Amino acid sequence: MELYIDDANISEIRRLIDLYPIDGVTTNPSILAKTGENPVKVLKEIRSILGPEKYIFAQTIPMTAADMIRDAHALVSLLGEKTVVKLPSIPEGFKAIRTLSTEGILTCGTVVYTPMQAYLAAKSGAAYVAPYINRIDNMGFDGVHVVQQIQDILTLHGFNTKILAASFKNSQQVLSLCAYGIEAATCAPSVIDSFVKNAAIDGAVNDFLKDFEKIAPSGQSMADLIS
Ligand code: E4P
């Protein structure tokens, strides 16, 4: 499963990329607004941290297909080939996705709350569709189940479109979708950290450290002892 950071905080992106096998960063206008900085400057900084190979997802702002396409071209020319342009899964968005996909620009149908939105974005040629698990849960439906249903529909109809599962509130939701074979997930830094936040793991690691100190001077590693 591709794993993306759903955040634009530069120090958090640096920290997480250093520690985890991260495939890129996803943003939306609300995420960029949280930085309080010029969005173009932030996106360029994220690209420089990611390097040319990892993916950055950036969203178009206008509400008409023609202007969405204009934003998409500007984003790709700013951020390079490994850019996935997010467009809302609404009628004008489907129209823009159809044009962009014929131009070879990678797109993500975002703001997906229903399987039919995902179906239409996929049929329009989107490389990804992004359903919002936690927001669907908050509407009184089962977000994980909706994503599984979308995956079944994409498979049944033979679309190459990947699901970029988004809007998680906990690691269990991510695990359920990972086990179902969902191809990509984007998570806030706190959710990524929660994958391995567990007292049993910390306890086991500390026990190994304490036991080793019984047979070697404190703070010494294998390399120290061997050299
Ligand atoms: C990603 O594509 C979405 O924009 C994002 O995950 C939404 O997350 P939120 O519901 O936490 O705002």
Side-chain angles (χ1 to χ4, degrees):
M1 185 171 72
E2 296 164 23
L3 179 61
Y4 296 94
I5 302 167
D6 201 23
D7 205 293
N9 180 300
I10 297 299
S11 60
E12 280 294 81
I13 291 170
R14 282 190 203 284
R15 180 181 71 81
L16 292 164
I17 282 187
D18 187 44
L19 295 173
Y20 297 98
I22 297 290
D23 295 290
V25 169
T26 63
T27 64
N28 64 32
S30 307
I31 286 171
L32 290 172
K34 277 190 214 149
T35 68
E37 297 197 51
N38 179 306
V40 172
K41 175 179 164 279
V42 174
L43 287 169
K44 278 171 76 177
E45 206 167 346
I46 295 171
R47 167 53 76 207
S48 80
I49 297 168
L50 291 177
E53 292 307 319
K54 291 187 194 292
Y55 284 91
I56 183 166
F57 288 61
Q59 196 161 323
T60 59
I61 307 301
M63 299 301 286
T64 64
D67 288 337
M68 288 175 187
I69 291 167
R70 190 168 159 261
D71 261 22
H73 290 158
L75 286 166
V76 172
S77 87
L78 179 77
L79 301 169
E81 195 191 320
K82 298 289 172 83
T83 300
V84 182
V85 179
K86 293 170 75 179
L87 302 103
S89 298
I90 57 176
E92 292 287 325
F94 302 139
K95 182 176 171 183
I97 288 170
R98 287 211 312 278
T99 300
L100 292 167
S101 72
T102 62
E103 294 174 0
I105 292 179
L106 295 171
T107 57
C108 172
T110 192
V111 197
V112 169
Y113 287 79
T114 70
M116 278 313 289
Q117 278 180 286
Y119 173 82
L120 290 169
K123 191 167 183 198
S124 301
Y128 292 86
V129 288
Y132 289 3
I133 288 91
N134 193 43
R135 297 194 196 188
I136 295 170
D137 280 355
N138 287 339
M139 289 167 68
F141 300 96
D142 181 339
V144 165
H145 178 73
V146 170
V147 175
Q148 291 170 339
Q149 193 182 9
I150 292 171
Q151 183 60 68
D152 293 345
I153 290 168
L154 297 181
T155 305
L156 188 64
H157 292 271
F159 292 124
N160 285 327
T161 309
K162 295 177 186 175
I163 293 178
L164 171 73
S167 180
F168 289 102
K169 72 169 181 297
N170 63 53
S171 60
Q172 183 59 39
Q173 294 166 325
V174 184
L175 175 62
S176 300
L177 294 177
C178 188
Y180 203 74
I182 298 305
E183 289 176 277
T186 186
C187 306
S190 61
V191 173
I192 294 175
D193 284 326
S194 77
F195 295 163
V196 285
K197 198 180 252 178
N198 181 314
I201 298 171
D202 292 347
V205 171
N206 284 330
D207 284 348
F208 288 136
L209 202 57
K210 278 192 263 160
D211 284 341
F212 195 66
E213 285 178 355
K214 294 174 188 164
I215 51 171
S218 177
Q220 295 271 291
S221 67
M222 285 292 189
D224 294 330
L225 296 180
I226 293 164
S227 65

